[in-house]
Each structure stands twice: as structure tokens, then as C-alpha cells.
Amino acid sequence: MNLSIYFKKFFNSSQSSGIILIFCVLISLLIANSSLAENFQRFLDNEIGVNLFHLKYPVSIWINDGLMAVFFLLVGLEIKREMMEGELSSFKNASLPIFAAIGGMAIPAAIYTIFNVGTPYANGWGIPMATDIAFSLAIISMLGSKIPNSIKIFLAALAIVDDLGAILVIAIFYTEQIHWTYLLLSFGVTALLFLLNFLKVTKIIFYIIPGLFLWYFLHHSGIHATIAGVLLAFSIPTNASNVEISPLEKLEHTLHFPVSFLIMPIFALTNTNITFNNGMIEGLTSTLGLGIIGGLVVGKLIGINLFSFIAIKFKLSSLPQNSSWTQMIGVGFLAGIGFTMSIFIALLSFKEEIKIQDEAKFAILIASFLAAVLGYVILNLGSKKKEVIEN
């Protein structure tokens, strides 16, 4: 096969971005546990930018707060399109990810608290609440057409709500100070963006420029700036028809390749550089480790499916189209991939306790690995079982 055709087929495959992401995770772990670790960390800590307007940050901040805002923009665009003309266009379908996310935050936090109430680890209750949207979507994308699109959209919407919840938890419980002037300016820019939508402005540039200001104001307010991507996405004009290509669909198409094959791999490479230290394995059996693993692996599964079942039972929601409860269980596990957001909350929870931070990181890594494997296997087996029944 011609090499250029091979590469074209690879990059057009839905599984390819997940494969690249996992490869970057492995490379990052190898670097972090080699002689290159110190130089790599020095690179991530190196400040770039300009002091003017306070825009000089470490490389890691530009990646986690800057590039990931673009990732959240793309996911937000996909969610909005589905709300207008796809899987989330009905109230019953759109409400399910919200109920599921609430359960997926409440139950893990409760499990962690049961293990750690009254201990030095009690402040970390927010750690297992988070879902790493980048990694969870990467894993489910590796299953390709085996999984109905409705399940992928459900996971994306669930993860967005989950991450917004985690951001609120960080803002309320883990942020030392909120700068209200910047927050009010953020509200003002958000109002402007939706006014442009109301006035039927269709030029994307008129949204991107205020979107940059929104990111800047949110970042300086003390709230995680990636939420700017979601707010911007929901202001971009679209339509309820799949015939006419809307500004939203044009932007979504433009962002898909750079997000999947540049932003997400860079994010994985720079955020999974966990150095293994003595005592980490023992930490898995401490109340800290058990609370994190129990919360992410078991708590997410129970919370998402229990709250989904209740919402469906009371006819407030309905299962995603062409899906099954087996697939919902798989999604419940995949949502337990806490990873970077969980690590971020762990760093905020135990600011001066480096040893506890390392133990928490390792527990999050193990829990996320277990959740990813279990979720992938269950979804894969569920799809094969469905094929057998249909045949």
C-alpha cells in the first residue's frame, strides 16, 4: 500500500486518536522515570509569553488552560449540534447526562468520605468526582462503529457536565481567592457572545475574538479557564437542519484534526509524567488509595447507573438510542477515568504534602487504568453480544 494512503486511512480512522493518546501516555511515563525526567519537568516549568497584561505562564499552564480550552470548545460544539439536531434534541435524552453526572459526582465523593472522614486525607473528597473527558472519549473512540453514536454523545455530555461540576467544586472549595472583577467581565463577554448569536451574526471571527477575552478574564478570575471553550461553543450559531452547513459545523470540522492529533497528544504527554516513588504501592491500601480507587472505579459506576435508572424509571429521561444497560455499565466505568482533573484536585487538596500528592497520583493512575480497561472490555463484549443476537 502507498505510504501516503496508509497515513490518510490511519488519520481518518476513529480509533487512531485513541491509539496515539495511549502511546503518548506510555512515552510520558517512560520519560518521567528516566534520566530525562528533570529536563522534561524543567521544560514544562519554563515560562513563556509576555509580562504585558500578565500573560507569561509555564508551558504546562499554556497546555492545560490554553490548549485544553480549544478541546472543550470542540466538545461543546459537538454537544450543541446534537442538542439542536441529533441525539440530545429531546428533553428525555438531554436530561439523562445531567442526572448521570450528578450521581457520578455524589456517590464517588461519598465513598471517599466514608474511607477518609476524620483522617488527614479528608480534604481530598473532590478527587474521585472528576472525569477526564479527553481520555474517556479517546478510549471509546477506539471501539469505532461497534458503539452507537448515541452512547458516545452521552459520554461526552456526561463528561462535560461532570467537568463543569468539578470546576465549580474547585472554585467554591479549593480556590483561595476569586477575583470578582474578572469574573464580572467574564459574564459581560459571555452576554456579548450570546447577543451576537441573537443578532444572527455568522462570521466566526466575531466570536473568536471575544472568546479570547473570555478565556483571559476567566483565567484571571481564579476559575479554570477551560470553561471558556464550552461557553464560546454554545454561543456559535447553528441550525436545526443537517442540510445547510452552519458556522458551528464549519468550526467543528476545522478543529477536529488539530484537537485529535495535536492538542490531545500534547496534553497526554505533559500530564502523565508521574515519577514512581517508594511507598506509592503501599499507599494503594491506605484509606486515601482505597477512597480514590473505590470512588473512581466503583462510585462512578454506581452513581451514573443508579441516577440514570431512577431518571428513566420516573420517565424523566430515556436510554440513549440503540443502547443497552450493558453499554451504560461500560460508560460508567469509562467515566471513572479521572486522571488529569483528579490529579489537579489532589494537588489543590494537599498543597504542602508532597508524599500524599504522590500517593494520590499513583492511586488515580491505577484507578483510571482499571476503569479504562473494564469500560473498554464491557463495551466491546456488549457490542459483540448484540451482533450475535441481531444475526
Side-chain angles (χ1 to χ4, degrees), residues 44 79 140 151 161 212 235 241 308:
L44 293 178
I79 297 294
I140 204 169
I151 280 288
V161 177
L212 293 173
S235 71
S241 168
S308 295

Side-chain angles (χ1 to χ4, degrees), residues 185-243:
L185 288 169
S186 302
F187 288 140
V189 175
T190 303
L192 172 63
L193 285 166
F194 283 94
L195 177 62
L196 291 171
N197 183 301
F198 179 75
L199 295 174
K200 302 190 184 312
V201 176
T202 57
K203 290 280 187 183
I204 293 291
I205 190 66
F206 291 117
Y207 293 89
I208 298 299
I209 292 174
L212 293 173
F213 279 96
L214 176 60
W215 179 90
Y216 176 84
F217 292 142
L218 275 173
H219 190 269
H220 284 75
S221 73
I223 293 177
H224 209 273
T226 50
I227 195 175
V230 180
L231 293 173
L232 175 59
F234 277 80
S235 71
I236 303 292
T238 187
N239 51 57
S241 168
N242 57 10
V243 177

Side-chain angles (χ1 to χ4, degrees), residues 2 18-19 22 41 64 75 113 130 140 142 169 173 188 201 204 237 254 272 279 286 325 328 339:
N2 184 289
I19 293 169
I22 291 171
Q41 189 59 50
N64 292 340
V75 176
T113 301
I140 204 169
M142 294 176 67
V169 166
F173 298 101
V201 176
I204 293 291
T254 301
T272 52
S286 68
W325 280 108
M328 290 288 286
F339 224 70

Side-chain angles (χ1 to χ4, degrees), residues 21-290:
L21 204 65
I22 291 171
F23 177 75
C24 288
V25 170
L26 295 174
I27 293 295
S28 183
L29 288 172
L30 287 172
I31 291 173
N33 293 277
S34 72
S35 58
L36 298 173
E38 191 175 331
N39 288 333
F40 187 59
Q41 189 59 50
R42 193 178 298 120
F43 165 73
L44 293 178
D45 294 337
N46 183 47
E47 292 191 347
I48 59 174
V50 291
N51 285 319
L52 186 67
F53 302 119
H54 306 289
L55 278 172
K56 191 170 186 180
Y57 299 112
V59 171
S60 58
I61 296 294
W62 283 114
I63 292 168
N64 292 340
D65 288 12
L67 289 182
M68 285 309 290
V70 181
F71 170 77
F72 272 81
L73 169 60
L74 175 60
V75 176
L77 292 171
E78 292 175 346
I79 297 294
K80 181 177 180 180
R81 174 171 51 78
E82 292 296 331
M83 290 177 70
M84 292 297 295
E85 57 184 77
E87 302 292 344
L88 302 177
S89 56
S90 73
F91 173 79
K92 283 192 171 183
N93 287 345
S95 64
L96 188 64
I98 298 173
F99 288 115
I102 292 170
M105 291 185 284
I107 302 300
I111 288 176
Y112 181 94
T113 301
I114 289 169
F115 276 104
N116 292 285
V117 64
T119 73
Y121 310 127
N123 196 45
W125 57 270
I127 295 171
M129 292 177 67
T131 294
D132 192 308
I133 186 170
F135 282 97
S136 58
L137 291 181
I139 297 297
I140 204 169
S141 72
M142 294 176 67
L143 291 159
S145 58
K146 292 180 180 180
I147 301 300
N149 193 54
S150 60
I151 280 288
K152 297 173 186 176
I153 295 299
F154 170 73
L155 177 60
L158 159 67
I160 282 275
V161 177
D162 195 303
D163 273 4
L164 291 178
I167 289 167
L168 286 175
V169 166
I170 291 168
I172 297 169
F173 298 101
Y174 293 103
T175 300
E176 292 181 353
Q177 184 179 5
I178 297 244
H179 299 280
W180 292 101
T181 301
Y182 284 114
L183 191 58
L184 289 172
L185 288 169
S186 302
F187 288 140
V189 175
T190 303
L192 172 63
L193 285 166
F194 283 94
L195 177 62
L196 291 171
N197 183 301
F198 179 75
L199 295 174
K200 302 190 184 312
V201 176
T202 57
K203 290 280 187 183
I204 293 291
I205 190 66
F206 291 117
Y207 293 89
I208 298 299
I209 292 174
L212 293 173
F213 279 96
L214 176 60
W215 179 90
Y216 176 84
F217 292 142
L218 275 173
H219 190 269
H220 284 75
S221 73
I223 293 177
H224 209 273
T226 50
I227 195 175
V230 180
L231 293 173
L232 175 59
F234 277 80
S235 71
I236 303 292
T238 187
N239 51 57
S241 168
N242 57 10
V243 177
E244 182 186 354
I245 298 177
S246 66
L248 181 146
E249 289 162 325
K250 289 178 183 176
L251 183 58
E252 182 184 347
H253 178 74
T254 301
L255 291 176
H256 186 267
F257 188 89
V259 167
S260 298
F261 298 102
L262 183 64
I263 291 176
M264 287 173 66
I266 290 173
F267 175 75
L269 194 62
T270 56
N271 280 278
T272 52
N273 57 326
I274 299 171
T275 303
F276 301 130
N277 298 318
N278 292 331
M280 276 187 165
I281 295 177
E282 290 83 352
L284 294 177
T285 56
S286 68
T287 55
L288 172 69
L290 293 173

